[in-house]
Amino acid sequence: MKIKIVGAAGGEVTGSSYLIETANAKVMVDAGMFQGGRNTEEKNRLPEGTDPKILDALLLTHAHLDHTGRIPLLLKNGFKNTIYATDATIDLAEIVLKDSAKIQEQDAARKNRYHPERHVEPLYTPNDTLSFRSQCQTVELHQHIPVADGITARFFEAGHMLGSTSIELTVHEKGKTHVVVFSGDLGPIDQPILRPFEQLPHADLVFMESTYGNRDHRPYNETIKEFEEIILKAVESKGKILIPAFAIGRTQQILYHLAILFVQKKVRHFPVFVDSPMAIRAGKVFAEHPDLFDEEATDWKRQGLLPLDRNWFQFCVSMEESKQLNSIEGPCVILAGAGMCNAGRIQHHLKFNLPHQETQVLIVGYQGSGSLGRQLVDGATQVKIHGETIPVRAQIHTLNGFSAHAGQSDLLKWFSSLGQMKPKVVLTHGENLQRETLADQIEKKYGLKPLLPELNETVEI
């Protein structure tokens, strides 16, 4: 069996994808899009060595774009077989892919307007997403599911986002059986709304994420305290609070805490705008899957706070509604995508509000190398948005405690059930410092030396 790592390797976090090849089958786990600067996004093409026409199955850990964004390329190039994922992942991935296809078209059209001599085609179009749902098959957690000749899959809760999973593949080949585990993205144990990750029982080979492998996040209760202080300060100064948030997961998490603030009367109610059609659609999916909530979220739901309570929040669907927010005075909160500020409506709000000292920008998630969000986190005094140089006078706050990724301690806890078995370990989905630090910890605790692969490297078992 050969497993080629065709994304999220070589110190790259995004683009997660693995191509598994046995004597009898070819299966892919995830087909994510690379996100970040121009050099990173130029990698968005069919994974090297992949012929979608002969791919037996595609398995998805979860719906985020960096794990699903190249699916339309597979469909466009002849993939006709089954996509396996949880019900919530299918619902959310359909939203993500349709939005991504629309953005691909818009970006290509914009480039062609400004540089008609360099005509570019969109990576894919909405037509390339049409067969996605019909090719999907819903999986239940913990069930053994035959996905290809000699390959059976089981899915386990990963606690990262609604419907997220880790995947266990049991591979029978040439009279031998091997168990290969893909962690997917793992969530922190204390993340609200979602159930925590599950530990897996056995593995001969583990592919494990390492996004925050070098550190733990700030304790969640301290993060909430800081979040409340920023909100109170902005209300007093009548400033705008801009929150670039991933439409699925992070937006619902922030709204959850704002609603609790209002209910507990820690702050008087002020306008909160959800400027993301995708987040609004995702909120409806959350409402359809209350069985995936943890106990605390279930209790708040009984009080009417989930997923998007119109008593507290206002929703902007059209571009005209979004533009009108420029004339709104603070205090107010504007949540808009994209989470790394590399596209979407948040760029327009940043362009308009970064020059103002009373503006507060809350960075509440991972910011890929080269992204606009990373520039703000790194203290840039000016940034380029839509070709214009914008001065940064706003206050930038980084609240990593809101991260949907497990920190080092939680990563090691997830691995602890497998580490005693001395599996081969491959660390992906992390920048070099993060995965090197996590590799050192695993070596100290278990005597294992994890592999830190380069893009398109192959692991054999």
PDB file of all heavy atoms in Angstrom, residues 86-92 133 138 140 162-163 193-195 281-294 297-298 301 306-307:
ATOM      1  N   THR A  86     -20.155  12.299   6.801  1.00  0.00           N
ATOM      2  CA  THR A  86     -21.320  12.402   7.678  1.00  0.00           C
ATOM      3  C   THR A  86     -22.371  13.306   7.046  1.00  0.00           C
ATOM      4  O   THR A  86     -22.071  14.115   6.154  1.00  0.00           O
ATOM      5  CB  THR A  86     -20.932  12.968   9.050  1.00  0.00           C
ATOM      6  OG1 THR A  86     -20.417  14.307   8.876  1.00  0.00           O
ATOM      7  CG2 THR A  86     -19.893  12.110   9.749  1.00  0.00           C
ATOM      8  N   ASP A  87     -23.588  13.178   7.533  1.00  0.00           N
ATOM      9  CA  ASP A  87     -24.699  13.957   7.003  1.00  0.00           C
ATOM     10  C   ASP A  87     -24.422  15.454   7.101  1.00  0.00           C
ATOM     11  O   ASP A  87     -24.641  16.216   6.153  1.00  0.00           O
ATOM     12  CB  ASP A  87     -25.969  13.584   7.780  1.00  0.00           C
ATOM     13  CG  ASP A  87     -27.228  14.064   7.084  1.00  0.00           C
ATOM     14  OD1 ASP A  87     -27.173  14.330   5.873  1.00  0.00           O
ATOM     15  OD2 ASP A  87     -28.273  14.175   7.752  1.00  0.00           O
ATOM     16  N   ALA A  88     -23.941  15.911   8.268  1.00  0.00           N
ATOM     17  CA  ALA A  88     -23.666  17.338   8.460  1.00  0.00           C
ATOM     18  C   ALA A  88     -22.539  17.809   7.538  1.00  0.00           C
ATOM     19  O   ALA A  88     -22.590  18.924   7.003  1.00  0.00           O
ATOM     20  CB  ALA A  88     -23.308  17.625   9.916  1.00  0.00           C
ATOM     21  N   THR A  89     -21.525  16.964   7.342  1.00  0.00           N
ATOM     22  CA  THR A  89     -20.432  17.342   6.439  1.00  0.00           C
ATOM     23  C   THR A  89     -20.938  17.509   5.012  1.00  0.00           C
ATOM     24  O   THR A  89     -20.557  18.463   4.315  1.00  0.00           O
ATOM     25  CB  THR A  89     -19.310  16.289   6.486  1.00  0.00           C
ATOM     26  OG1 THR A  89     -18.673  16.344   7.767  1.00  0.00           O
ATOM     27  CG2 THR A  89     -18.262  16.537   5.406  1.00  0.00           C
ATOM     28  N   ILE A  90     -21.803  16.622   4.566  1.00  0.00           N
ATOM     29  CA  ILE A  90     -22.356  16.738   3.214  1.00  0.00           C
ATOM     30  C   ILE A  90     -23.142  18.041   3.070  1.00  0.00           C
ATOM     31  O   ILE A  90     -22.977  18.783   2.097  1.00  0.00           O
ATOM     32  CB  ILE A  90     -23.238  15.523   2.891  1.00  0.00           C
ATOM     33  CG1 ILE A  90     -22.383  14.251   2.822  1.00  0.00           C
ATOM     34  CG2 ILE A  90     -23.990  15.725   1.570  1.00  0.00           C
ATOM     35  CD1 ILE A  90     -23.177  12.970   2.783  1.00  0.00           C
ATOM     36  N   ASP A  91     -24.004  18.331   4.054  1.00  0.00           N
ATOM     37  CA  ASP A  91     -24.799  19.558   4.003  1.00  0.00           C
ATOM     38  C   ASP A  91     -23.914  20.796   3.949  1.00  0.00           C
ATOM     39  O   ASP A  91     -24.151  21.717   3.157  1.00  0.00           O
ATOM     40  CB  ASP A  91     -25.707  19.643   5.233  1.00  0.00           C
ATOM     41  CG  ASP A  91     -26.852  18.651   5.199  1.00  0.00           C
ATOM     42  OD1 ASP A  91     -27.125  18.093   4.112  1.00  0.00           O
ATOM     43  OD2 ASP A  91     -27.468  18.419   6.258  1.00  0.00           O
ATOM     44  N   LEU A  92     -22.894  20.833   4.804  1.00  0.00           N
ATOM     45  CA  LEU A  92     -22.037  22.007   4.876  1.00  0.00           C
ATOM     46  C   LEU A  92     -21.085  22.100   3.687  1.00  0.00           C
ATOM     47  O   LEU A  92     -20.821  23.191   3.168  1.00  0.00           O
ATOM     48  CB  LEU A  92     -21.252  22.006   6.186  1.00  0.00           C
ATOM     49  CG  LEU A  92     -22.092  22.161   7.455  1.00  0.00           C
ATOM     50  CD1 LEU A  92     -21.243  21.924   8.697  1.00  0.00           C
ATOM     51  CD2 LEU A  92     -22.749  23.537   7.513  1.00  0.00           C
ATOM     52  N   ARG A 133     -23.800  16.346  -4.399  1.00  0.00           N
ATOM     53  CA  ARG A 133     -24.692  15.695  -3.441  1.00  0.00           C
ATOM     54  C   ARG A 133     -25.157  14.328  -3.932  1.00  0.00           C
ATOM     55  O   ARG A 133     -25.250  13.391  -3.143  1.00  0.00           O
ATOM     56  CB  ARG A 133     -25.893  16.593  -3.119  1.00  0.00           C
ATOM     57  CG  ARG A 133     -26.847  15.975  -2.113  1.00  0.00           C
ATOM     58  CD  ARG A 133     -27.889  16.938  -1.632  1.00  0.00           C
ATOM     59  NE  ARG A 133     -27.372  17.872  -0.642  1.00  0.00           N
ATOM     60  CZ  ARG A 133     -27.286  17.602   0.653  1.00  0.00           C
ATOM     61  NH1 ARG A 133     -27.665  16.427   1.124  1.00  0.00           N
ATOM     62  NH2 ARG A 133     -26.830  18.504   1.487  1.00  0.00           N
ATOM     63  N   THR A 138     -24.124   9.071   2.978  1.00  0.00           N
ATOM     64  CA  THR A 138     -24.017   9.418   4.389  1.00  0.00           C
ATOM     65  C   THR A 138     -23.467   8.241   5.191  1.00  0.00           C
ATOM     66  O   THR A 138     -23.861   7.091   4.983  1.00  0.00           O
ATOM     67  CB  THR A 138     -25.397   9.811   4.942  1.00  0.00           C
ATOM     68  OG1 THR A 138     -25.861  10.951   4.240  1.00  0.00           O
ATOM     69  CG2 THR A 138     -25.315  10.128   6.428  1.00  0.00           C
ATOM     70  N   GLU A 140     -22.560   6.753   9.223  1.00  0.00           N
ATOM     71  CA  GLU A 140     -22.812   6.858  10.647  1.00  0.00           C
ATOM     72  C   GLU A 140     -21.505   6.614  11.380  1.00  0.00           C
ATOM     73  O   GLU A 140     -20.677   5.790  10.950  1.00  0.00           O
ATOM     74  CB  GLU A 140     -23.862   5.846  11.100  1.00  0.00           C
ATOM     75  CG  GLU A 140     -25.222   6.003  10.424  1.00  0.00           C
ATOM     76  CD  GLU A 140     -25.932   7.278  10.842  1.00  0.00           C
ATOM     77  OE1 GLU A 140     -25.636   7.801  11.938  1.00  0.00           O
ATOM     78  OE2 GLU A 140     -26.794   7.755  10.062  1.00  0.00           O
ATOM     79  N   LEU A 162     -19.004  21.066  13.042  1.00  0.00           N
ATOM     80  CA  LEU A 162     -20.189  20.230  12.953  1.00  0.00           C
ATOM     81  C   LEU A 162     -19.969  19.126  11.908  1.00  0.00           C
ATOM     82  O   LEU A 162     -19.659  19.407  10.751  1.00  0.00           O
ATOM     83  CB  LEU A 162     -21.399  21.083  12.555  1.00  0.00           C
ATOM     84  CG  LEU A 162     -22.772  20.459  12.819  1.00  0.00           C
ATOM     85  CD1 LEU A 162     -23.088  20.493  14.309  1.00  0.00           C
ATOM     86  CD2 LEU A 162     -23.858  21.181  12.025  1.00  0.00           C
ATOM     87  N   GLY A 163     -20.095  17.876  12.342  1.00  0.00           N
ATOM     88  CA  GLY A 163     -19.946  16.740  11.439  1.00  0.00           C
ATOM     89  C   GLY A 163     -18.525  16.268  11.223  1.00  0.00           C
ATOM     90  O   GLY A 163     -18.297  15.309  10.469  1.00  0.00           O
ATOM     91  N   ILE A 193     -20.356  24.193  22.050  1.00  0.00           N
ATOM     92  CA  ILE A 193     -21.340  23.736  21.063  1.00  0.00           C
ATOM     93  C   ILE A 193     -21.103  22.284  20.654  1.00  0.00           C
ATOM     94  O   ILE A 193     -22.022  21.460  20.687  1.00  0.00           O
ATOM     95  CB  ILE A 193     -21.416  24.625  19.803  1.00  0.00           C
ATOM     96  CG1 ILE A 193     -21.733  26.089  20.179  1.00  0.00           C
ATOM     97  CG2 ILE A 193     -22.470  24.095  18.837  1.00  0.00           C
ATOM     98  CD1 ILE A 193     -21.760  27.042  18.990  1.00  0.00           C
ATOM     99  N   LEU A 194     -19.862  21.924  20.282  1.00  0.00           N
ATOM    100  CA  LEU A 194     -19.592  20.599  19.747  1.00  0.00           C
ATOM    101  C   LEU A 194     -19.181  19.597  20.809  1.00  0.00           C
ATOM    102  O   LEU A 194     -18.599  19.947  21.834  1.00  0.00           O
ATOM    103  CB  LEU A 194     -18.476  20.677  18.699  1.00  0.00           C
ATOM    104  CG  LEU A 194     -18.706  21.624  17.527  1.00  0.00           C
ATOM    105  CD1 LEU A 194     -17.475  21.626  16.629  1.00  0.00           C
ATOM    106  CD2 LEU A 194     -19.943  21.227  16.743  1.00  0.00           C
ATOM    107  N   ARG A 195     -19.447  18.325  20.526  1.00  0.00           N
ATOM    108  CA  ARG A 195     -18.949  17.250  21.375  1.00  0.00           C
ATOM    109  C   ARG A 195     -17.441  17.115  21.186  1.00  0.00           C
ATOM    110  O   ARG A 195     -16.927  17.396  20.098  1.00  0.00           O
ATOM    111  CB  ARG A 195     -19.636  15.925  21.016  1.00  0.00           C
ATOM    112  CG  ARG A 195     -21.143  15.957  21.215  1.00  0.00           C
ATOM    113  CD  ARG A 195     -21.808  14.654  20.805  1.00  0.00           C
ATOM    114  NE  ARG A 195     -21.430  14.242  19.458  1.00  0.00           N
ATOM    115  CZ  ARG A 195     -22.130  13.379  18.732  1.00  0.00           C
ATOM    116  NH1 ARG A 195     -23.246  12.860  19.213  1.00  0.00           N
ATOM    117  NH2 ARG A 195     -21.721  13.030  17.532  1.00  0.00           N
ATOM    118  N   ARG A 281     -26.726  30.349   5.811  1.00  0.00           N
ATOM    119  CA  ARG A 281     -27.124  29.008   5.379  1.00  0.00           C
ATOM    120  C   ARG A 281     -26.564  27.946   6.308  1.00  0.00           C
ATOM    121  O   ARG A 281     -27.246  26.961   6.634  1.00  0.00           O
ATOM    122  CB  ARG A 281     -26.642  28.764   3.939  1.00  0.00           C
ATOM    123  CG  ARG A 281     -27.332  29.645   2.902  1.00  0.00           C
ATOM    124  CD  ARG A 281     -27.074  29.141   1.488  1.00  0.00           C
ATOM    125  NE  ARG A 281     -25.668  29.206   1.125  1.00  0.00           N
ATOM    126  CZ  ARG A 281     -25.084  30.266   0.577  1.00  0.00           C
ATOM    127  NH1 ARG A 281     -25.785  31.371   0.345  1.00  0.00           N
ATOM    128  NH2 ARG A 281     -23.810  30.243   0.252  1.00  0.00           N
ATOM    129  N   ALA A 282     -25.334  28.150   6.766  1.00  0.00           N
ATOM    130  CA  ALA A 282     -24.722  27.184   7.678  1.00  0.00           C
ATOM    131  C   ALA A 282     -25.479  27.131   9.004  1.00  0.00           C
ATOM    132  O   ALA A 282     -25.623  26.060   9.611  1.00  0.00           O
ATOM    133  CB  ALA A 282     -23.259  27.543   7.923  1.00  0.00           C
ATOM    134  N   GLY A 283     -25.983  28.283   9.453  1.00  0.00           N
ATOM    135  CA  GLY A 283     -26.752  28.315  10.692  1.00  0.00           C
ATOM    136  C   GLY A 283     -27.980  27.427  10.613  1.00  0.00           C
ATOM    137  O   GLY A 283     -28.371  26.786  11.593  1.00  0.00           O
ATOM    138  N   LYS A 284     -28.579  27.379   9.444  1.00  0.00           N
ATOM    139  CA  LYS A 284     -29.749  26.514   9.261  1.00  0.00           C
ATOM    140  C   LYS A 284     -29.352  25.041   9.361  1.00  0.00           C
ATOM    141  O   LYS A 284     -30.112  24.216   9.879  1.00  0.00           O
ATOM    142  CB  LYS A 284     -30.402  26.816   7.918  1.00  0.00           C
ATOM    143  CG  LYS A 284     -30.992  28.219   7.829  1.00  0.00           C
ATOM    144  CD  LYS A 284     -31.553  28.516   6.441  1.00  0.00           C
ATOM    145  CE  LYS A 284     -32.107  29.936   6.373  1.00  0.00           C
ATOM    146  NZ  LYS A 284     -32.600  30.271   4.997  1.00  0.00           N
ATOM    147  N   VAL A 285     -28.157  24.714   8.874  1.00  0.00           N
ATOM    148  CA  VAL A 285     -27.672  23.337   8.991  1.00  0.00           C
ATOM    149  C   VAL A 285     -27.440  22.992  10.454  1.00  0.00           C
ATOM    150  O   VAL A 285     -27.778  21.885  10.912  1.00  0.00           O
ATOM    151  CB  VAL A 285     -26.383  23.129   8.167  1.00  0.00           C
ATOM    152  CG1 VAL A 285     -25.825  21.725   8.380  1.00  0.00           C
ATOM    153  CG2 VAL A 285     -26.655  23.374   6.685  1.00  0.00           C
ATOM    154  N   PHE A 286     -26.871  23.933  11.219  1.00  0.00           N
ATOM    155  CA  PHE A 286     -26.695  23.705  12.656  1.00  0.00           C
ATOM    156  C   PHE A 286     -28.035  23.382  13.300  1.00  0.00           C
ATOM    157  O   PHE A 286     -28.130  22.490  14.147  1.00  0.00           O
ATOM    158  CB  PHE A 286     -26.072  24.936  13.317  1.00  0.00           C
ATOM    159  CG  PHE A 286     -24.572  24.934  13.348  1.00  0.00           C
ATOM    160  CD1 PHE A 286     -23.833  25.035  12.176  1.00  0.00           C
ATOM    161  CD2 PHE A 286     -23.888  24.837  14.546  1.00  0.00           C
ATOM    162  CE1 PHE A 286     -22.453  25.032  12.202  1.00  0.00           C
ATOM    163  CE2 PHE A 286     -22.504  24.833  14.591  1.00  0.00           C
ATOM    164  CZ  PHE A 286     -21.783  24.935  13.405  1.00  0.00           C
ATOM    165  N   ALA A 287     -29.065  24.112  12.911  1.00  0.00           N
ATOM    166  CA  ALA A 287     -30.388  23.898  13.503  1.00  0.00           C
ATOM    167  C   ALA A 287     -30.929  22.515  13.193  1.00  0.00           C
ATOM    168  O   ALA A 287     -31.732  21.964  13.961  1.00  0.00           O
ATOM    169  CB  ALA A 287     -31.362  24.967  12.987  1.00  0.00           C
ATOM    170  N   GLU A 288     -30.490  21.927  12.092  1.00  0.00           N
ATOM    171  CA  GLU A 288     -30.982  20.613  11.682  1.00  0.00           C
ATOM    172  C   GLU A 288     -30.219  19.467  12.333  1.00  0.00           C
ATOM    173  O   GLU A 288     -30.609  18.309  12.178  1.00  0.00           O
ATOM    174  CB  GLU A 288     -30.883  20.497  10.157  1.00  0.00           C
ATOM    175  CG  GLU A 288     -31.821  21.446   9.416  1.00  0.00           C
ATOM    176  CD  GLU A 288     -31.498  21.541   7.932  1.00  0.00           C
ATOM    177  OE1 GLU A 288     -30.532  20.886   7.495  1.00  0.00           O
ATOM    178  OE2 GLU A 288     -32.219  22.273   7.222  1.00  0.00           O
ATOM    179  N   HIS A 289     -29.146  19.781  13.071  1.00  0.00           N
ATOM    180  CA  HIS A 289     -28.327  18.718  13.665  1.00  0.00           C
ATOM    181  C   HIS A 289     -28.078  18.959  15.158  1.00  0.00           C
ATOM    182  O   HIS A 289     -26.928  18.921  15.616  1.00  0.00           O
ATOM    183  CB  HIS A 289     -26.995  18.609  12.925  1.00  0.00           C
ATOM    184  CG  HIS A 289     -27.127  18.179  11.500  1.00  0.00           C
ATOM    185  ND1 HIS A 289     -27.297  16.858  11.132  1.00  0.00           N
ATOM    186  CD2 HIS A 289     -27.147  18.894  10.352  1.00  0.00           C
ATOM    187  CE1 HIS A 289     -27.398  16.776   9.816  1.00  0.00           C
ATOM    188  NE2 HIS A 289     -27.311  17.996   9.318  1.00  0.00           N
ATOM    189  N   PRO A 290     -29.129  19.186  15.949  1.00  0.00           N
ATOM    190  CA  PRO A 290     -28.918  19.418  17.384  1.00  0.00           C
ATOM    191  C   PRO A 290     -28.365  18.202  18.107  1.00  0.00           C
ATOM    192  O   PRO A 290     -27.836  18.327  19.217  1.00  0.00           O
ATOM    193  CB  PRO A 290     -30.331  19.767  17.885  1.00  0.00           C
ATOM    194  CG  PRO A 290     -31.247  19.104  16.911  1.00  0.00           C
ATOM    195  CD  PRO A 290     -30.552  19.209  15.583  1.00  0.00           C
ATOM    196  N   ASP A 291     -28.457  17.036  17.490  1.00  0.00           N
ATOM    197  CA  ASP A 291     -27.912  15.818  18.094  1.00  0.00           C
ATOM    198  C   ASP A 291     -26.396  15.869  18.205  1.00  0.00           C
ATOM    199  O   ASP A 291     -25.796  15.078  18.961  1.00  0.00           O
ATOM    200  CB  ASP A 291     -28.313  14.593  17.264  1.00  0.00           C
ATOM    201  CG  ASP A 291     -27.916  14.718  15.800  1.00  0.00           C
ATOM    202  OD1 ASP A 291     -28.306  15.724  15.168  1.00  0.00           O
ATOM    203  OD2 ASP A 291     -27.224  13.823  15.283  1.00  0.00           O
ATOM    204  N   LEU A 292     -25.759  16.793  17.482  1.00  0.00           N
ATOM    205  CA  LEU A 292     -24.307  16.910  17.522  1.00  0.00           C
ATOM    206  C   LEU A 292     -23.823  17.929  18.545  1.00  0.00           C
ATOM    207  O   LEU A 292     -22.621  18.117  18.710  1.00  0.00           O
ATOM    208  CB  LEU A 292     -23.777  17.292  16.128  1.00  0.00           C
ATOM    209  CG  LEU A 292     -24.088  16.295  15.003  1.00  0.00           C
ATOM    210  CD1 LEU A 292     -23.522  16.809  13.678  1.00  0.00           C
ATOM    211  CD2 LEU A 292     -23.532  14.915  15.321  1.00  0.00           C
ATOM    212  N   PHE A 293     -24.748  18.592  19.255  1.00  0.00           N
ATOM    213  CA  PHE A 293     -24.368  19.606  20.236  1.00  0.00           C
ATOM    214  C   PHE A 293     -23.924  18.948  21.541  1.00  0.00           C
ATOM    215  O   PHE A 293     -24.377  17.854  21.894  1.00  0.00           O
ATOM    216  CB  PHE A 293     -25.543  20.538  20.558  1.00  0.00           C
ATOM    217  CG  PHE A 293     -26.005  21.387  19.397  1.00  0.00           C
ATOM    218  CD1 PHE A 293     -27.176  22.126  19.508  1.00  0.00           C
ATOM    219  CD2 PHE A 293     -25.294  21.460  18.211  1.00  0.00           C
ATOM    220  CE1 PHE A 293     -27.631  22.912  18.461  1.00  0.00           C
ATOM    221  CE2 PHE A 293     -25.726  22.237  17.152  1.00  0.00           C
ATOM    222  CZ  PHE A 293     -26.906  22.968  17.279  1.00  0.00           C
ATOM    223  N   ASP A 294     -23.073  19.676  22.299  1.00  0.00           N
ATOM    224  CA  ASP A 294     -22.732  19.219  23.647  1.00  0.00           C
ATOM    225  C   ASP A 294     -23.847  19.620  24.616  1.00  0.00           C
ATOM    226  O   ASP A 294     -24.828  20.269  24.237  1.00  0.00           O
ATOM    227  CB  ASP A 294     -21.373  19.759  24.084  1.00  0.00           C
ATOM    228  CG  ASP A 294     -21.332  21.288  24.218  1.00  0.00           C
ATOM    229  OD1 ASP A 294     -22.406  21.925  24.187  1.00  0.00           O
ATOM    230  OD2 ASP A 294     -20.228  21.833  24.359  1.00  0.00           O
ATOM    231  N   ALA A 297     -24.528  23.534  25.093  1.00  0.00           N
ATOM    232  CA  ALA A 297     -25.198  24.139  23.944  1.00  0.00           C
ATOM    233  C   ALA A 297     -26.645  23.668  23.851  1.00  0.00           C
ATOM    234  O   ALA A 297     -27.541  24.438  23.472  1.00  0.00           O
ATOM    235  CB  ALA A 297     -24.447  23.795  22.662  1.00  0.00           C
ATOM    236  N   THR A 298     -26.879  22.420  24.195  1.00  0.00           N
ATOM    237  CA  THR A 298     -28.245  21.898  24.178  1.00  0.00           C
ATOM    238  C   THR A 298     -29.116  22.656  25.173  1.00  0.00           C
ATOM    239  O   THR A 298     -30.279  22.993  24.885  1.00  0.00           O
ATOM    240  CB  THR A 298     -28.248  20.392  24.518  1.00  0.00           C
ATOM    241  OG1 THR A 298     -27.467  19.691  23.525  1.00  0.00           O
ATOM    242  CG2 THR A 298     -29.664  19.834  24.523  1.00  0.00           C
ATOM    243  N   LYS A 301     -29.814  26.052  23.800  1.00  0.00           N
ATOM    244  CA  LYS A 301     -30.765  25.932  22.691  1.00  0.00           C
ATOM    245  C   LYS A 301     -32.204  25.920  23.220  1.00  0.00           C
ATOM    246  O   LYS A 301     -33.110  26.492  22.610  1.00  0.00           O
ATOM    247  CB  LYS A 301     -30.488  24.667  21.878  1.00  0.00           C
ATOM    248  CG  LYS A 301     -31.397  24.514  20.659  1.00  0.00           C
ATOM    249  CD  LYS A 301     -31.047  23.268  19.871  1.00  0.00           C
ATOM    250  CE  LYS A 301     -31.931  23.178  18.625  1.00  0.00           C
ATOM    251  NZ  LYS A 301     -33.351  23.030  18.943  1.00  0.00           N
ATOM    252  N   LEU A 306     -29.755  29.322  19.983  1.00  0.00           N
ATOM    253  CA  LEU A 306     -29.043  28.717  18.864  1.00  0.00           C
ATOM    254  C   LEU A 306     -30.020  28.378  17.751  1.00  0.00           C
ATOM    255  O   LEU A 306     -31.175  28.059  18.018  1.00  0.00           O
ATOM    256  CB  LEU A 306     -28.328  27.441  19.321  1.00  0.00           C
ATOM    257  CG  LEU A 306     -27.058  27.632  20.157  1.00  0.00           C
ATOM    258  CD1 LEU A 306     -26.567  26.278  20.643  1.00  0.00           C
ATOM    259  CD2 LEU A 306     -25.973  28.301  19.352  1.00  0.00           C
ATOM    260  N   PRO A 307     -29.528  28.391  16.506  1.00  0.00           N
ATOM    261  CA  PRO A 307     -28.160  28.720  16.104  1.00  0.00           C
ATOM    262  C   PRO A 307     -27.962  30.194  15.777  1.00  0.00           C
ATOM    263  O   PRO A 307     -26.904  30.751  15.959  1.00  0.00           O
ATOM    264  CB  PRO A 307     -27.959  27.870  14.849  1.00  0.00           C
ATOM    265  CG  PRO A 307     -29.332  27.839  14.235  1.00  0.00           C
ATOM    266  CD  PRO A 307     -30.296  27.829  15.398  1.00  0.00           C
TER     267      PRO A 307
END
